[in-house]
Each structure stands twice: as C-alpha cells, then as structure tokens.
Amino acid sequence: CNLTGWWENDLGSKMQVFKVGNDGTFSGEYHTAVSSAKKSIQPSPLIGSQHLDEDGQCTFGFTVNWKKFSDSTAVFVGQCFNGDDGKEVLHTSWLLREKVSSEPDDWRATR
C-alpha cells in the first residue's frame, strides 16, 4: 500500500500524505470535516510511521496536532487493505485528547 497522496473518509475528512520515506516515516496534512471547536477548521499537520510489509497490507499510525484551531491532539492507527475491486482502502481507529482545565476533569478528556 502506498500511503502517498490524498485519502478521504466517510465523513468527508481528507488526509494528504506528502511522501513515505524508506524507513516508513511520513508527514502530511489532515483536513477534518467535523469539529466541536469554536474556531473555524484549519488544515492540521500530521506525522506518522508505516510498517512496510511484502504483501502490501501494511499497518500504520499517525498523530494530528489540531493546534491551528483547537487545544486537542488525535492519534490514528490502522491498516491498508487491497479491496476486491483492486483499490486500496484504509481502516483506522482513533483517540482524541482534548485539553481540560483541571486534573479532576481528566475523566472526560479522551474520546
């Protein structure tokens, strides 16, 4: 699976991976279509790593820092699959950590 290029999810968010290095590291931008932040959404930097497998169905992970419009950070992990139609598809799970004002509020900071 070649992560380089544009990817879009079911909610309309888009990710652009600029280049995957020989060691599997990559960077890019995430353009989220959904947010609960009060500021307007901005493209956000991402950095990640891909496990390069011979079968092409690699695992990967990346972090997105929403610093341009929110006090939160998200991490994504996933795997690339080669679909029956020959197209590559990514399946991911994510965690979002929002800033809270005190330690007692920590319980509600991660989704």
Side-chain angles (χ1 to χ4, degrees):
C1 182
N2 182 357
L3 292 179
T4 301
W6 284 95
W7 297 88
E8 184 172 355
N9 72 14
D10 297 339
L11 297 175
S13 296
K14 296 177 183 175
M15 171 178 76
Q16 182 182 18
V17 175
F18 299 138
K19 178 185 175 186
V20 178
N22 291 337
D23 62 353
T25 59
F26 61 90
S27 63
E29 282 188 334
Y30 200 93
H31 302 247
T32 188
V34 295
S35 172
S36 61
K38 293 178 174 71
K39 295 180 181 178
S40 63
I41 294 172
Q42 300 290 319
S44 300
L46 68 84
I47 189 160
S49 182
Q50 175 182 4
H51 183 91
L52 304 170
D53 282 338
E54 290 103 29
D55 68 2
Q57 299 192 133
C58 63
T59 59
F60 60 89
F62 60 91
T63 301
V64 179
N65 186 334
W66 309 108
K67 64 185 174 184
K68 294 182 178 181
F69 66 95
S70 175
D71 289 333
S72 62
T73 302
V75 292
F76 294 75
V77 293
Q79 184 173 345
C80 180
F81 294 96
N82 296 311
D84 294 335
D85 59 1
K87 292 184 180 179
E88 296 173 331
V89 61
L90 306 181
H91 285 261
T92 61
S93 296
W94 56 269
L95 289 172
L96 176 75
R97 176 65 188 215
E98 295 178 301
K99 180 181 172 183
V100 292
S101 59
S102 66
E103 187 177 359
D105 288 333
D106 184 61
W107 67 271
R108 65 180 180 95
T110 303
R111 292 193 268 158

